[in-house]
Amino acid sequence: MMRTAWCFPGQGSQYVGMGKELAERFVSAREVFERADEALGAKISTLCFEGPDTDLTLTRNTQPAIVTTSLAALAALEEALDLPAPASAAGHSLGEYSALVAARALRLEDAVTVVRLRGEAMQDAVPAGTGAMAAIMGIAPDKLAEICQEAKEDEVVSAANFNAPGQIVIAGHAAAVARASKLVQERQGKAIALKVSAPFHCALMAPAAKKLAQRLQTVAVAPLAFPVIANVDALPNRDETRVKELLVRQVDHPVRWEETVRAMASDGVTHILEIGPGKVLAVLVRRIAKDIEVVPVGTPEGVEAAAKLLNKRA
């Protein structure tokens, strides 16, 4: 029996041209971009469709651009067929906002304006060059925690993303991340420095979490139409009174993506729709739960493939 879940991508999935074909083909997708443009008071649609890449990759732009494109893809899918609700949804970091809009907990307009502030706050939390992130392969989570403890000295370094088996991202002060990376390599692991603008999902993001909490005070949260698995604890949440707290904690705590996908697998999910630009999550899901089939839904062809799959179930 088919059981579906929805997943929404986070920062790093953006590319110039994303959403353009969706907006040209589907009226509902075009309306999503128009609503986002109006809410932001800026043409996020033009930035998605035409770039330039240097502007699109600025965190304050990337975050609302990805959320808008993801929700445009969802709108296109809803236009293409009578879309059944998923067993659950989740989003990788930023993608949690897309998931919450999909679950009718947040308004599109609130989501795009909040994530613009979120991007600015995360960028401003640490002076340029102070922080760093690195992808770690071949080291178990408990061993990596010991390495970070050994490397931090009087600075911050900790796990930021538990992405998939054998792939964990660390974040913190640049020097501490460098020390931890050196220890990883000495212990037969692999460390790759990441090109990022700030050290996300670690204690250095506490100022950003505080700013986000203040902004979320003005946002209304409605009952969730289906559970959204939160990044910070990898547990399905259907309690609207917890949404803001979970979003705030997410900023300076690690993303538990591997546990999130395993929770879906334990719930009997057989198919995941990756709704939004790119195919980053499809790669991770296949490493975590090989039996789950992932259908990327970020282009008209993806919408058609997902519609065909879901119509087959019906």
Side-chain angles (χ1 to χ4, degrees), residues 33-114:
F33 280 105
E34 290 170 353
R35 287 172 61 192
D37 286 349
E38 185 173 352
L40 292 165
K43 287 281 190 179
I44 199 72
S45 57
T46 302
L47 195 55
C48 292
F49 302 163
E50 302 174 11
D53 186 63
T54 51
D55 289 346
L56 182 60
T57 53
L58 293 174
T59 301
R60 71 183 303 272
N61 293 331
T62 306
Q63 297 203 12
I66 289 175
V67 168
T68 302
T69 303
S70 297
L71 295 171
L74 177 61
L77 192 56
E78 290 173 330
E79 184 178 324
L81 80 160
D82 184 12
L83 186 63
S88 62
H92 191 284
S93 186
L94 167 72
E96 191 166 333
Y97 288 83
S98 304
L100 288 164
V101 176
R104 309 292 186 255
L106 296 179
R107 294 170 60 246
L108 164 69
E109 288 79 3
D110 286 329
V112 295
T113 53
V114 167

XYZ file of all heavy atoms in Angstrom, residues 33-114:
591
model
N 4.095 33.182 -6.689
C 5.187 34.153 -6.872
C 4.669 35.586 -6.743
O 5.339 36.444 -6.155
C 5.865 33.942 -8.224
C 6.850 32.811 -8.238
C 6.542 31.601 -8.845
C 8.093 32.947 -7.630
C 7.458 30.550 -8.850
C 9.017 31.903 -7.626
C 8.689 30.706 -8.237
N 3.490 35.854 -7.272
C 2.918 37.203 -7.182
C 2.634 37.576 -5.729
O 2.896 38.709 -5.300
C 1.646 37.285 -8.018
C 1.905 37.226 -9.523
C 0.631 37.057 -10.340
O -0.449 36.847 -9.726
O 0.711 37.115 -11.584
N 2.104 36.634 -4.961
C 1.820 36.903 -3.545
C 3.112 37.147 -2.762
O 3.174 38.027 -1.906
C 1.055 35.727 -2.936
C -0.392 35.622 -3.380
C -1.016 34.330 -2.890
N -1.020 34.220 -1.442
C -1.302 33.100 -0.771
N -1.581 31.978 -1.445
N -1.298 33.091 0.542
N 4.148 36.373 -3.063
C 5.431 36.550 -2.376
C 6.046 37.902 -2.728
O 6.567 38.607 -1.860
C 6.385 35.413 -2.735
N 5.977 38.281 -4.010
C 6.500 39.587 -4.439
C 5.818 40.707 -3.664
O 6.474 41.645 -3.178
C 6.252 39.793 -5.935
C 7.176 38.969 -6.823
O 8.148 38.394 -6.295
O 6.917 38.904 -8.039
N 4.506 40.618 -3.547
C 3.750 41.671 -2.865
C 4.092 41.713 -1.380
O 4.283 42.785 -0.803
C 2.250 41.445 -3.060
C 1.402 42.563 -2.482
C -0.072 42.426 -2.809
O -0.441 41.540 -3.612
O -0.873 43.203 -2.251
N 4.191 40.548 -0.746
C 4.486 40.492 0.686
C 5.868 41.054 0.996
O 6.063 41.739 2.000
C 4.373 39.050 1.189
N 6.832 40.765 0.129
C 8.215 41.196 0.350
C 8.472 42.617 -0.132
O 9.486 43.221 0.236
C 9.174 40.232 -0.349
C 9.248 38.814 0.226
C 9.930 37.873 -0.750
C 9.968 38.817 1.565
N 7.575 43.118 -0.986
C 7.807 44.433 -1.570
C 9.003 44.432 -2.501
O 9.674 45.449 -2.686
N 9.276 43.289 -3.086
C 10.418 43.125 -3.997
C 10.132 41.957 -4.925
O 9.367 41.059 -4.584
C 11.699 42.877 -3.218
N 10.757 41.969 -6.089
C 10.510 40.933 -7.091
C 11.374 39.701 -6.828
O 12.373 39.457 -7.519
C 10.785 41.494 -8.487
C 9.714 42.460 -8.973
C 8.492 41.697 -9.468
C 7.512 42.613 -10.181
N 6.338 41.857 -10.673
N 10.969 38.922 -5.836
C 11.687 37.668 -5.580
C 11.515 36.742 -6.788
O 12.389 35.917 -7.087
C 11.194 36.998 -4.282
C 12.230 35.988 -3.771
C 9.834 36.339 -4.454
C 13.472 36.584 -3.179
N 10.411 36.869 -7.513
C 10.171 36.045 -8.704
C 11.249 36.292 -9.756
O 11.814 35.345 -10.320
C 8.793 36.346 -9.287
O 8.662 37.728 -9.597
N 11.558 37.551 -10.016
C 12.589 37.882 -11.012
C 13.941 37.330 -10.590
O 14.707 36.819 -11.420
C 12.688 39.410 -11.200
O 11.408 39.907 -11.603
C 13.724 39.766 -12.253
N 14.234 37.396 -9.292
C 15.508 36.871 -8.792
C 15.580 35.360 -8.995
O 16.623 34.823 -9.374
C 15.653 37.217 -7.306
C 17.036 37.070 -6.685
C 18.084 37.866 -7.436
C 16.997 37.501 -5.224
N 14.467 34.662 -8.759
C 14.433 33.213 -8.980
C 14.591 32.872 -10.465
O 15.350 31.976 -10.825
C 13.111 32.630 -8.472
S 12.886 32.659 -6.689
N 13.870 33.602 -11.300
C 13.815 33.260 -12.721
C 15.075 33.687 -13.480
O 15.532 32.991 -14.373
C 12.605 33.930 -13.387
C 11.276 33.583 -12.787
C 10.166 34.371 -13.049
C 11.109 32.475 -11.956
C 8.926 34.071 -12.503
C 9.874 32.164 -11.404
C 8.779 32.975 -11.678
N 15.640 34.859 -13.097
C 16.703 35.455 -13.912
C 18.003 35.713 -13.166
O 19.017 36.017 -13.796
C 16.198 36.797 -14.491
C 14.944 36.670 -15.339
C 14.387 38.020 -15.771
O 15.097 39.035 -15.582
O 13.247 38.056 -16.295
N 18.006 35.602 -11.838
C 19.194 35.897 -11.065
C 19.418 37.383 -10.923
O 18.454 38.157 -10.917
N 20.668 37.825 -10.780
C 21.912 37.052 -10.921
C 22.177 36.132 -9.728
O 21.655 36.349 -8.638
C 22.992 38.136 -11.012
C 22.428 39.267 -10.200
C 20.952 39.249 -10.472
N 23.016 35.152 -9.962
C 23.328 34.166 -8.934
C 23.949 34.806 -7.696
O 23.687 34.365 -6.572
C 24.287 33.113 -9.517
C 24.537 31.981 -8.545
O 23.580 31.263 -8.209
O 25.690 31.824 -8.090
N 24.738 35.854 -7.888
C 25.376 36.510 -6.738
C 24.348 37.081 -5.781
O 24.557 37.082 -4.567
C 26.309 37.641 -7.211
O 25.590 38.494 -8.122
C 27.531 37.083 -7.897
N 23.222 37.550 -6.304
C 22.153 38.075 -5.451
C 21.287 36.949 -4.894
O 20.865 36.988 -3.741
C 21.268 39.056 -6.237
C 21.985 40.358 -6.545
O 23.048 40.622 -5.942
O 21.497 41.116 -7.399
N 21.046 35.939 -5.709
C 20.205 34.821 -5.271
C 20.840 34.064 -4.107
O 20.141 33.557 -3.226
C 19.952 33.864 -6.442
C 19.038 32.664 -6.159
C 17.659 33.116 -5.729
C 18.943 31.767 -7.393
N 22.170 34.002 -4.083
C 22.848 33.245 -3.036
C 23.069 34.045 -1.750
O 23.598 33.501 -0.783
C 24.214 32.722 -3.531
O 24.970 33.809 -4.066
C 24.033 31.665 -4.608
N 22.656 35.310 -1.723
C 22.683 36.045 -0.465
C 21.608 35.455 0.449
O 20.454 35.305 0.047
C 22.404 37.538 -0.708
C 23.457 38.325 -1.495
C 22.959 39.730 -1.777
C 24.767 38.369 -0.721
N 21.977 35.130 1.673
C 21.085 34.410 2.573
C 19.722 35.081 2.714
O 18.692 34.399 2.740
C 21.747 34.258 3.961
O 22.972 33.543 3.801
C 20.864 33.486 4.910
N 19.681 36.394 2.787
C 18.411 37.104 2.954
C 17.504 36.921 1.748
O 16.272 37.052 1.866
C 18.655 38.597 3.215
C 19.168 39.372 2.023
C 19.465 40.830 2.362
N 18.304 41.521 2.896
C 17.397 42.144 2.140
N 17.517 42.116 0.823
N 16.388 42.783 2.687
N 18.082 36.626 0.584
C 17.300 36.377 -0.624
C 17.046 34.889 -0.836
O 15.962 34.491 -1.261
C 18.032 36.927 -1.854
C 18.134 38.433 -1.849
O 17.283 39.125 -1.289
N 19.182 38.967 -2.466
N 18.056 34.082 -0.552
C 17.940 32.643 -0.788
C 16.769 32.049 -0.026
O 16.004 31.231 -0.566
C 19.227 31.917 -0.341
O 20.345 32.516 -0.972
C 19.173 30.444 -0.696
N 16.626 32.440 1.235
C 15.608 31.800 2.070
C 14.186 32.050 1.560
O 13.439 31.092 1.334
C 15.812 32.196 3.523
C 17.152 31.717 4.062
C 17.204 31.571 5.572
O 16.197 31.612 6.270
N 18.399 31.388 6.093
N 13.763 33.312 1.318
C 12.415 33.484 0.765
C 12.280 32.945 -0.655
O 11.195 32.488 -1.049
C 12.195 35.004 0.814
C 13.546 35.606 0.937
C 14.377 34.609 1.685
N 13.364 32.938 -1.426
C 13.297 32.424 -2.801
C 12.997 30.928 -2.812
O 12.164 30.456 -3.598
C 14.612 32.712 -3.527
N 13.655 30.172 -1.949
C 13.427 28.721 -1.912
C 12.043 28.397 -1.371
O 11.344 27.514 -1.904
C 14.526 28.030 -1.078
C 15.851 28.062 -1.831
C 14.143 26.585 -0.745
C 17.029 27.515 -1.052
N 11.617 29.095 -0.329
C 10.273 28.856 0.204
C 9.223 29.155 -0.857
O 8.281 28.370 -1.067
C 10.035 29.693 1.484
C 8.554 29.673 1.881
C 10.887 29.169 2.630
N 9.370 30.269 -1.562
C 8.402 30.638 -2.595
C 8.369 29.602 -3.709
O 7.289 29.166 -4.138
C 8.741 32.025 -3.174
O 8.739 32.989 -2.121
C 7.727 32.427 -4.228
N 9.533 29.191 -4.188
C 9.581 28.204 -5.273
C 8.985 26.869 -4.834
O 8.258 26.213 -5.594
C 11.030 28.013 -5.753
O 11.558 29.273 -6.173
C 11.103 27.033 -6.906
N 9.266 26.469 -3.612
C 8.721 25.208 -3.095
C 7.199 25.247 -3.047
O 6.515 24.292 -3.447
C 9.284 24.925 -1.703
O 10.690 24.747 -1.750
N 6.654 26.361 -2.580
C 5.199 26.470 -2.464
C 4.543 26.653 -3.831
O 3.395 26.244 -4.031
C 4.849 27.592 -1.503
C 5.309 27.300 -0.064
C 5.144 28.511 0.821
C 4.560 26.103 0.518
N 5.281 27.224 -4.780
C 4.775 27.290 -6.152
C 4.688 25.886 -6.752
O 3.724 25.558 -7.459
C 5.685 28.172 -7.011
N 5.679 25.050 -6.458
C 5.652 23.662 -6.937
C 4.481 22.904 -6.319
O 3.800 22.116 -6.998
C 6.969 22.970 -6.605
N 4.233 23.140 -5.035
C 3.098 22.489 -4.374
C 1.784 22.962 -4.993
O 0.879 22.152 -5.245
C 3.121 22.794 -2.878
C 1.941 22.241 -2.070
C 1.869 20.719 -2.154
C 2.036 22.688 -0.607
N 1.675 24.253 -5.252
C 0.460 24.789 -5.868
C 0.231 24.182 -7.251
O -0.907 23.853 -7.621
C 0.560 26.311 -5.966
N 1.309 24.010 -8.010
C 1.197 23.394 -9.334
C 0.695 21.958 -9.214
O -0.158 21.512 -10.009
C 2.541 23.431 -10.040
N 1.204 21.252 -8.225
C 0.779 19.865 -8.020
C -0.696 19.806 -7.625
O -1.449 18.945 -8.109
C 1.648 19.221 -6.934
C 1.569 17.707 -6.768
C 1.874 16.982 -8.074
C 2.531 17.251 -5.672
N -1.111 20.751 -6.789
C -2.525 20.806 -6.392
C -3.418 21.170 -7.573
O -4.568 20.728 -7.648
C -2.703 21.815 -5.255
C -2.086 21.355 -3.944
C -2.114 22.410 -2.859
O -2.059 23.618 -3.187
O -2.190 22.034 -1.678
N -2.879 21.952 -8.502
C -3.637 22.306 -9.705
C -3.751 21.116 -10.653
O -4.757 20.953 -11.364
C -2.958 23.478 -10.416
C -3.707 23.992 -11.629
C -3.017 25.185 -12.276
O -2.437 26.024 -11.543
O -3.052 25.294 -13.522
N -2.725 20.272 -10.647
C -2.671 19.160 -11.599
C -3.580 17.998 -11.215
O -3.985 17.220 -12.078
C -1.235 18.676 -11.747
N -3.876 17.845 -9.927
C -4.720 16.733 -9.503
C -5.340 17.039 -8.151
O -4.954 17.994 -7.468
C -3.924 15.428 -9.423
C -3.058 15.170 -8.181
C -2.758 13.692 -8.062
C -1.755 15.953 -8.220
N -6.297 16.215 -7.761
C -6.904 16.311 -6.432
C -5.904 15.692 -5.459
O -5.902 14.475 -5.253
C -8.237 15.571 -6.409
C -8.958 15.708 -5.078
O -8.538 16.560 -4.262
O -9.915 14.953 -4.842
N -5.048 16.522 -4.885
C -3.882 16.046 -4.141
C -4.277 15.526 -2.759
O -4.800 16.286 -1.935
C -2.870 17.183 -4.002
C -1.516 16.850 -3.378
C -0.768 15.837 -4.238
C -0.684 18.117 -3.224
N -4.027 14.252 -2.478
C -4.322 13.733 -1.144
C -3.321 14.242 -0.112
O -2.157 14.498 -0.442
C -4.196 12.212 -1.312
C -3.266 12.037 -2.473
C -3.484 13.214 -3.370
N -3.766 14.414 1.111
C -2.875 14.870 2.182
C -1.821 13.808 2.457
O -2.081 12.609 2.346
C -3.666 15.150 3.449
N -0.624 14.222 2.833
C 0.439 13.258 3.142
C 0.271 12.684 4.544
O -0.461 13.244 5.378
C 1.701 14.116 3.063
C 1.241 15.467 3.536
C -0.151 15.626 2.994
N 0.974 11.596 4.796
C 1.005 11.060 6.167
C 1.691 12.046 7.092
O 1.314 12.205 8.262
C 1.738 9.719 6.174
N 2.703 12.729 6.565
C 3.430 13.744 7.322
C 4.238 14.573 6.331
O 4.313 14.246 5.145
C 4.363 13.108 8.364
O 5.338 12.301 7.734
N 4.845 15.638 6.852
C 5.732 16.459 6.034
C 6.915 16.887 6.880
O 6.871 16.835 8.114
C 5.002 17.683 5.484
N 7.966 17.304 6.210
C 9.147 17.822 6.900
C 9.912 18.699 5.924
O 9.729 18.605 4.703
C 10.042 16.683 7.394
N 10.764 19.537 6.462
C 11.625 20.353 5.618
C 13.007 20.406 6.212
O 13.170 20.406 7.439
N 14.014 20.429 5.357
C 15.389 20.487 5.834
C 15.701 21.926 6.216
O 15.791 22.804 5.351
C 16.345 20.003 4.746
C 17.745 19.777 5.226
N 18.620 20.813 5.477
C 18.428 18.632 5.528
C 19.776 20.323 5.885
N 19.690 18.999 5.929
N 15.838 22.192 7.517
C 16.149 23.522 8.031
C 15.116 24.527 7.552
O 13.949 24.496 7.956
C 17.573 23.911 7.633
O 17.963 25.128 8.225
N 15.487 25.423 6.653
C 14.576 26.395 6.079
C 13.299 25.749 5.560
O 12.200 26.319 5.661
C 15.292 27.123 4.935
C 14.447 27.967 3.990
C 13.974 29.223 4.698
C 15.237 28.303 2.736
N 13.414 24.557 5.011
C 12.266 23.865 4.427
C 11.141 23.596 5.399
O 10.002 23.336 4.980
N 11.418 23.677 6.702
C 10.355 23.463 7.696
C 9.267 24.526 7.552
O 8.094 24.259 7.811
C 10.940 23.462 9.108
C 9.964 22.978 10.162
C 10.636 22.666 11.495
O 11.843 22.319 11.506
O 9.949 22.764 12.525
N 9.652 25.731 7.122
C 8.653 26.784 6.905
C 7.731 26.415 5.736
O 6.512 26.615 5.811
C 9.344 28.127 6.633
C 9.979 28.713 7.867
C 11.246 28.300 8.289
C 9.322 29.661 8.638
C 11.840 28.824 9.431
C 9.900 30.190 9.785
C 11.159 29.761 10.174
O 11.732 30.262 11.323
N 8.295 25.884 4.663
C 7.475 25.433 3.537
C 6.514 24.341 3.978
O 5.336 24.339 3.597
C 8.374 24.912 2.407
O 9.314 25.885 1.995
N 7.013 23.415 4.794
C 6.168 22.329 5.282
C 5.015 22.862 6.125
O 3.882 22.366 6.047
C 7.010 21.340 6.089
N 5.284 23.880 6.920
C 4.244 24.443 7.781
C 3.199 25.213 6.974
O 2.011 25.196 7.323
C 4.872 25.338 8.843
C 5.627 24.574 9.937
C 6.534 25.517 10.727
C 4.644 23.868 10.876
N 3.613 25.869 5.896
C 2.634 26.497 5.008
C 1.792 25.421 4.323
O 0.569 25.538 4.213
C 3.316 27.406 3.965
C 2.281 27.978 2.991
C 4.061 28.542 4.652
N 2.448 24.360 3.876
C 1.728 23.250 3.235
C 0.687 22.651 4.176
O -0.404 22.260 3.740
C 2.718 22.181 2.798
N 1.011 22.611 5.470
C 0.098 22.062 6.476
C -0.928 23.078 6.951
O -1.679 22.799 7.901
C 0.897 21.531 7.660
N -0.948 24.260 6.329
C -1.905 25.322 6.637
C -1.687 25.948 8.008
O -2.573 26.615 8.546
C -3.354 24.808 6.535
C -3.690 24.089 5.238
C -3.698 25.021 4.050
N -4.152 24.362 2.837
C -3.356 23.976 1.837
N -2.051 24.168 1.932
N -3.857 23.418 0.752
N -0.511 25.762 8.591
C -0.221 26.357 9.893
C 0.245 27.796 9.759
O -0.045 28.639 10.617
C 0.837 25.540 10.632
N 0.991 28.090 8.679
C 1.486 29.442 8.418
C 0.936 29.938 7.091
O 0.721 29.154 6.162
C 3.019 29.462 8.346
C 3.811 29.108 9.606
C 5.303 29.168 9.295
C 3.465 30.038 10.760
N 0.737 31.241 7.001
C 0.381 31.873 5.735
C 1.641 32.048 4.892
O 2.725 32.275 5.431
C -0.268 33.239 5.971
C -1.591 33.206 6.667
C -2.041 34.602 7.073
N -2.187 35.493 5.919
C -1.428 36.556 5.687
N -0.442 36.883 6.524
N -1.644 37.328 4.630
N 1.497 31.944 3.595
C 2.619 32.162 2.687
C 3.283 33.508 2.949
O 4.513 33.609 3.032
C 2.126 32.097 1.234
C 3.056 32.675 0.160
C 4.291 31.809 0.000
C 2.323 32.814 -1.172
N 2.467 34.544 3.094
C 3.003 35.891 3.278
C 3.832 35.993 4.555
O 4.887 36.646 4.573
C 1.864 36.915 3.304
C 1.212 37.163 1.956
C 0.207 36.096 1.521
O -0.047 35.149 2.304
O -0.328 36.207 0.399
N 3.361 35.363 5.624
C 4.128 35.374 6.876
C 5.425 34.595 6.717
O 6.495 35.021 7.181
C 3.303 34.773 8.020
C 2.204 35.714 8.495
O 2.392 36.942 8.411
O 1.163 35.213 8.958
N 5.351 33.438 6.048
C 6.539 32.591 5.901
C 7.658 33.309 5.158
O 8.813 33.306 5.603
C 6.178 31.286 5.195
N 7.339 33.942 4.029
C 8.414 34.552 3.233
C 9.012 35.773 3.929
O 10.222 36.020 3.829
C 7.959 34.906 1.798
C 7.624 33.638 1.024
C 6.797 35.886 1.784
N 8.190 36.536 4.643
C 8.738 37.707 5.336
C 9.530 37.296 6.573
O 10.566 37.900 6.886
C 7.626 38.699 5.708
O 6.594 38.023 6.438
C 7.032 39.334 4.466
N 9.081 36.247 7.258
C 9.821 35.763 8.433
C 11.167 35.180 8.022
O 12.191 35.455 8.657
C 9.002 34.719 9.218
C 9.877 33.989 10.232
C 7.840 35.394 9.942
